[in-house]
Amino acid sequence: MSEELPPSDTGEHGTVDEVPRAPDADAWSTACAEDLAAEKARRRAEHGVPQGSAAEELRRLVDTVADKLSGLQSPLLGAVAGPAAQQVVRQVVQQAKAAVEPVIERNPDVFDHLAAAGGELLAAYRSAVQQQEQRWTARTADPGKDPADPRDDDEGTGPGQRIDLD
């Protein structure tokens, strides 16, 4: 009896609960896609909705500014000129949106590149500021004596720093 198969789990009708599936032709990519979707869902739950591309963010900014300007009441113009001024503002906002939308549609990658360049410029600025701050905070107690400066070998009579005019 050692060659007998173990008893199988059968359902109510005497059939096997698990139906054999055909092997997936690309099981690895399916598993990767499922893992990626699960990771995106976890990050979305943890950090909120991810930021869109620079073009999408610009479009959202234009829409938000347009909504704010259109809903703005103008107390300076008074009650008589108020509706006419609001109409002019709405018209200007619509013209601006009409001018910006085609540019965003034609060149979405340009805005991503500009955003990346802006990030790199900001990083370079931070680096320069940090280096300058390190120089300012690394000074010795005697401002006239900088140990890294070979020109400060002679003792001066005043507390000032020697300036080389060559």
Side-chain angles (χ1 to χ4, degrees):
M1 291 262 170
S2 63
E3 294 180 10
E4 285 185 31
L5 294 174
S8 63
D9 293 334
T10 58
E12 293 178 7
H13 305 290
T15 60
V16 177
D17 288 340
E18 189 175 316
V19 178
R21 295 187 324 183
D24 190 7
D26 200 6
W28 180 258
S29 67
T30 303
C32 288
E34 290 171 355
D35 289 345
L36 181 62
E39 180 65 18
K40 285 182 179 179
R42 183 190 67 80
R43 287 187 183 199
R44 200 174 303 117
E46 186 176 320
H47 300 292
V49 178
Q51 214 175 21
S53 69
E56 291 171 4
E57 293 296 318
L58 178 61
R59 185 176 289 123
R60 284 183 25 204
L61 174 68
V62 168
D63 289 341
T64 303
V65 169
D67 291 343
K68 292 291 182 182
L69 286 176
S70 296
L72 189 64
Q73 297 293 331
S74 179
L76 298 175
L77 299 175
V80 175
Q86 284 182 340
Q87 183 63 26
V88 170
V89 167
R90 283 191 196 110
Q91 193 173 23
V92 169
V93 166
Q94 290 301 325
Q95 288 175 350
K97 283 176 71 173
V100 169
E101 283 295 325
V103 174
I104 293 172
E105 291 295 324
R106 283 190 307 253
N107 307 311
D109 293 339
V110 170
F111 296 102
D112 292 333
H113 289 297
L114 287 173
E120 291 176 11
L121 285 173
L122 182 61
Y125 176 75
R126 282 184 184 153
S127 175
V129 168
Q130 285 175 348
Q131 289 176 0
Q132 185 63 35
E133 286 177 348
Q134 287 174 354
R135 282 190 223 122
W136 288 337
T137 57
R139 301 236 172 159
T140 60
D142 183 10
K145 189 82 167 160
D146 188 1
D149 193 359
R151 297 175 293 171
D152 288 341
D153 293 338
D154 61 333
E155 293 294 322
T157 57
Q161 185 177 4
R162 181 173 174 233
I163 298 174
D164 191 7
L165 298 175
D166 289 332

